[in-house]
Amino acid sequence: MEYHIRDIKLAEKGRRRIEWAERFMPVLKLIRQRFAKEKPLKGIKISACLHITTETANLARTLKAGGAILTLCASNPLSTQDDCAAALVKYDRIPVFALRGEDRKTYYQHILIALDQRPNLTIDDGADLVSTLHQKKGEISVFGGTEETTTGVIRLKNMEREGVLRYPIIAVNDSLTKFMFDNRYGTGQSTIDGVLRATNFLLAGATVVVCGYGMCGKGIALRARGMGASVIVTEVDPIRALEAKMDGLLVMPLKRAAPIGD
């Protein structure tokens, strides 16, 4: 089995972290147990371009349990967890092509390798896999795919309008549960976490300016206020601005908010 990862010796650490994440993904675990019996994906070739993390590792294991022939590459080199990639290769026998910090050339080489198996389904996060596939000449064997992000959905809708999108794709990004758990709660927590790790800053008593009150902005504002910060929201959409005001937040133009924010 071919693969390209940082170090296979990291596999045991990755296995423990993947199993830890699984404890908080009970629905996916139940699906995997059913897939292992029913094999609904038997013989179907899937190329997936995703964040290689403990969470998507459990998704990959579920697809493999369902009988899929899976090849995995990274959708973002900065998010790749090398130990998870190693665990998927060693313990689950899934071909993974991902290195944390890989350069642009390597990134697209890995996408091309994932497409070499002529997939029947694509799973994409940002639409680089799908756009690269469409640039390849000749017939394609894909009958469907999914896209997980706002950026990717925008790219694919543009392709659809231009009449060049060659197969149907489900916009997972438009799922309400995705908006809630990934954008509002996930991004809300991880953004605050990143700021605190980088600055060691005390949020209590500080003034935080959140630019935009979409799902991600709502999550960040919620977490910042929960940690004792005063939150100001800037928003060009009058309905969202009103919503922020009704949620008890200060709302003002960015030029006024920027000098005040910590």
Side-chain angles (χ1 to χ4, degrees):
M1 185 182 74
E2 293 185 6
Y3 59 88
H4 187 199
I5 59 175
R6 181 71 62 193
D7 187 354
I8 197 67
K9 294 178 182 178
L10 297 171
E12 177 57 26
K13 177 185 176 184
R15 182 187 64 81
R16 292 196 300 268
R17 294 182 61 243
I18 291 168
E19 290 177 352
W20 167 262
E22 182 186 51
R23 295 174 60 190
F24 304 95
M25 306 174 75
V27 176
L28 191 63
K29 185 176 181 179
L30 289 171
I31 292 172
R32 182 160 70 250
Q33 291 170 352
R34 178 166 62 85
F35 272 22
K37 296 177 181 178
E38 299 176 4
K39 302 293 182 183
L41 300 173
K42 185 176 181 180
I44 294 177
K45 293 184 288 186
I46 300 177
S47 295
C49 183
L50 298 167
H51 295 278
I52 310 300
T53 64
T54 56
E55 297 83 7
T56 52
N58 279 293
L59 170 62
R61 294 170 68 202
T62 301
L63 297 172
K64 178 78 178 287
I69 303 168
L70 177 66
T71 303
L72 194 59
C73 63
S75 64
N76 187 332
L78 298 179
S79 67
T80 296
Q81 297 170 355
D82 290 321
D83 56 343
C84 293
L88 288 172
V89 169
K90 182 173 181 178
Y91 298 113
D92 297 287
R93 305 299 296 166
I94 295 174
V96 179
F97 299 86
L99 300 165
R100 183 174 181 83
E102 64 189 24
D103 59 26
R104 181 180 177 86
K105 180 180 178 181
T106 305
Y107 172 79
Y108 279 102
Q109 284 177 341
H110 287 166
I111 287 178
L112 290 171
I113 292 171
L115 293 173
D116 282 344
Q117 71 163 339
R118 294 182 59 81
N120 307 122
L121 289 171
T122 59
I123 301 176
D124 211 352
D125 190 330
D128 282 343
L129 183 78
V130 173
S131 61
T132 302
L133 176 62
H134 279 70
Q135 291 166 16
K136 294 166 70 72
K137 298 186 184 297
E139 295 184 5
I140 61 175
S141 54
V142 183
F143 54 74
T146 65
E147 170 54 50
E148 298 193 8
T149 67
T150 304
T151 303
V153 170
I154 290 171
R155 293 175 69 183
L156 294 173
K157 284 184 176 179
N158 287 337
M159 292 173 66
E160 182 185 31
R161 278 194 294 271
E162 294 168 5
V164 297
L165 188 62
R166 297 170 67 182
Y167 59 89
I169 293 178
I170 296 172
V172 178
N173 184 75
D174 294 345
S175 164
L176 290 177
T177 52
K178 191 273 182 185
F179 274 129
M180 286 175 57
F181 299 122
D182 183 7
N183 294 38
R184 182 190 294 178
Y185 299 114
T187 302
Q189 177 171 313
S190 61
T191 301
I192 295 294
D193 178 63
V195 170
L196 296 182
R197 287 175 185 267
T199 65
N200 197 31
F201 188 77
L202 179 65
L203 279 186
T207 300
V208 174
V209 179
V210 180
C211 301
Y213 205 60
M215 281 293 185
C216 293
K218 289 175 185 177
I220 295 167
L222 176 70
R223 297 298 175 208
R225 187 162 66 168
M227 298 184 74
S230 299
V231 179
I232 299 172
V233 169
T234 71
E235 175 58 79
V236 296
D237 185 315
I239 301 300
R240 287 183 174 177
L242 180 59
E243 183 180 10
K245 178 66 175 177
M246 299 300 285
D247 284 344
L249 305 172
L250 289 174
V251 180
M252 63 183 69
L254 183 54
K255 283 187 178 180
R256 282 182 54 200
I260 304 172
D262 295 304

